[in-house]
Amino acid sequence: MAEMRQGMNQTMVATASMQFFMRALQATNMELRQIAGQAMLSNPALEELDPLPPAEAPEPADAPVPGMPPDFDATRRHGEFIESLAEEQTLLASLEGQLRQNALPPAVEKTALTLVQYLDEHGYFGEPPQEIAVREQMPAALFRAALAAVQELDPPGVGAADLRHSLMLQLQRAGEPQDSPAMRLLREQWDALVRHHYAEAARALGLDEPAVTAAAYRISRLNPDPGSGFARTEQNVIVPDILVLPDADGHFVATLTGENVPRLGLSAEYREMMAEQAHKPEVRRYLSRCFREGREVIRAIAERQQTILSVAQAMVERQQAFFRAGRAALLPMRMEDVAGDTGIAVSTVSRAVNGKFLRCPRGVFALRSFFSAALGEGDAAVSADAVQQLILQMVQQEDPAHPLSDAALEKALAQRGITVARRTIAKYRDKLKILPTNLRRRS
């Protein structure tokens, strides 16, 4: 019986340790500091140590690195890093709090808490939630119930796949009928809506133009950014988790910045207390538990840092061309690719890149922004970002009297072995703020 109880206790400790690790891995550095603070409040054996001196930057190359500014100094790494001062509640913290207070069935609550980890700071999923469900091995019925619970949270519009979906959720929350002009405009005539082609939308929907104009105005009063009322990284200086610099051979290397990551240790005072109270079994058991749980917290934070570094190193190794030449050289890369390189589960890779940033000579980038599917095949395969850069270059070099239509861009890309649908080209053009052909023509 005693052996069974000991085995159960070890299993519980292991489970709690894994949960803490996953929570720490998913957290940003500022959120990790809050998590560590809570751990220290609940465990007197834990204390925060003085930060270690910053690690030395990789040895800079004597000669200029290709693609870098002539005056680029690789040894300048921490001078521009400023701690973020935001202490307001984040969107994620608000959503987690609501889920825990909503009296959901335990399995639904647990699944919903996993789903909200994948939301960005605007309240949108960065990838199709169905793909998240497959990756996290969520049963279909449980996934649907959890997703519905997330989409019922405040602010209205969170848990959406994209802007259109968010606006539809907001209308739905306000009691808008599914067949109302506003809902139909969003569902059936999104492209016409974003281009303000209300007459075209009216004809397609079988409505008069004033009704469509009124519906468009109704939509314009909705919130395109549900997360705007919460503390966000963009409101402050971004403190990168990873620094990417060229070494002496011009090969780009990833290192941890360690900025805002708490360094915890076990209290020497409590060690002395445990020695002094060795003759008191209850006190010794309590202190032993504090030290055991404290070591698990310290180990989890160390494993978090190592996991983030391993993922970043694999990403940087695959994207050497990007760091030398910029976005046009960004290669297609999936989380599955990084998982294969590192031996880390895909779901763990996803948590590791969540809310994390890297800084390199070209600027600061979210780790998630480096992932994109391949367009084209074989040696011609490129990332979506690279395709957008190609489109931008083509438009910048076009004849103003005969600007390139989306069909012409589609053909030009096909000649490079890149197959992209015309609708996708139009979407990329909108994202790049490139006007339609008729508005770009100059005589």
Side-chain angles (χ1 to χ4, degrees), residues 25-26 307-308 311 347-356 367:
L25 183 63
Q26 179 79 22
T307 300
I308 293 172
V311 168
S347 59
T348 303
V349 171
S350 180
R351 288 186 174 94
V353 301
N354 179 68
K356 315 300 191 305
L367 293 189

Side-chain angles (χ1 to χ4, degrees), residues 281-300:
E282 290 185 4
V283 175
R284 184 172 180 83
R285 278 196 298 271
Y286 168 73
L287 293 175
S288 294
R289 178 173 61 82
C290 287
F291 278 110
R292 183 179 64 250
E293 293 176 356
R295 281 191 290 269
E296 292 296 332
V297 169
I298 294 169
R299 184 180 298 115

Side-chain angles (χ1 to χ4, degrees), residues 425-442:
I425 291 174
K427 181 179 72 174
Y428 288 167
R429 184 169 47 72
D430 286 346
K431 185 176 180 181
L432 293 166
K433 304 295 189 294
I434 297 174
L435 296 172
T437 310
N438 64 320
L439 298 179
R440 300 202 313 272
R441 183 173 290 109
R442 297 289 183 271

Side-chain angles (χ1 to χ4, degrees), residues 287-329:
L287 293 175
S288 294
R289 178 173 61 82
C290 287
F291 278 110
R292 183 179 64 250
E293 293 176 356
R295 281 191 290 269
E296 292 296 332
V297 169
I298 294 169
R299 184 180 298 115
I301 292 177
E303 289 178 358
R304 170 200 189 262
Q305 292 298 92
Q306 183 56 52
T307 300
I308 293 172
L309 179 59
S310 296
V311 168
Q313 287 174 333
M315 293 172 60
V316 170
E317 196 61 35
R318 281 181 169 267
Q319 298 292 356
Q320 289 287 315
F322 162 81
F323 294 105
R324 291 192 177 90
R327 283 209 173 272

Side-chain angles (χ1 to χ4, degrees), residues 85-222:
L85 300 176
E87 296 182 357
E88 298 91 347
Q89 189 180 41
T90 63
L91 175 63
L92 176 61
S94 173
L95 298 178
E96 287 179 333
Q98 292 177 65
L99 287 172
R100 292 190 174 99
Q101 295 170 7
N102 281 359
L104 296 168
V108 175
E109 178 184 315
K110 181 180 178 182
T111 306
L113 285 169
T114 299
L115 284 177
V116 296
Q117 303 293 325
Y118 286 91
L119 296 176
D120 62 22
E121 292 175 320
H122 308 286
Y124 299 157
F125 284 107
E127 57 186 307
Q130 291 78 7
E131 293 182 9
I132 298 171
V134 172
R135 183 183 307 135
E136 297 284 352
Q137 299 181 335
M138 298 175 180
L142 189 57
F143 163 68
R144 289 193 294 270
L147 182 61
V150 170
Q151 293 173 348
E152 284 296 320
L153 300 175
D154 290 322
V158 297
D162 51 32
L163 173 58
R164 174 168 61 170
H165 187 205
S166 177
L167 297 175
M168 292 178 71
L169 288 176
Q170 292 177 51
L171 287 178
Q172 183 176 312
R173 180 81 69 89
E176 190 86 10
Q178 288 294 319
D179 60 351
S180 72
M183 288 293 272
R184 290 188 62 199
L185 186 56
L186 286 170
R187 188 170 54 245
E188 303 171 35
Q189 292 295 312
W190 174 251
D191 289 343
L193 172 64
V194 297
R195 291 178 173 79
H196 306 291
H197 292 176
Y198 301 145
E200 174 188 327
R203 287 193 299 270
L205 295 174
L207 301 170
D208 57 49
E209 190 171 344
V212 170
T213 302
Y217 177 77
R218 168 93 169 88
I219 293 168
S220 72
R221 310 305 294 173
L222 302 174

Side-chain angles (χ1 to χ4, degrees), residues 370-382:
F370 286 88
F371 294 100
S372 64
L375 297 173
E377 298 180 357
D379 294 338
V382 294

Side-chain angles (χ1 to χ4, degrees), residues 330-349:
L330 188 68
L331 297 177
M333 182 175 69
R334 303 171 304 152
M335 290 189 186
E336 289 81 358
D337 298 327
V338 173
D341 292 345
T342 59
I344 296 172
V346 177
S347 59
T348 303
V349 171

Side-chain angles (χ1 to χ4, degrees), residues 222-251:
L222 302 174
N223 184 5
D225 184 0
S228 59
F230 296 84
R232 300 220 300 222
T233 309
E234 292 88 345
Q235 295 172 347
N236 305 279
V237 176
I238 293 175
V239 181
D241 308 82
I242 298 292
L243 185 69
V244 179
L245 292 172
D247 61 16
D249 297 321
H251 190 83

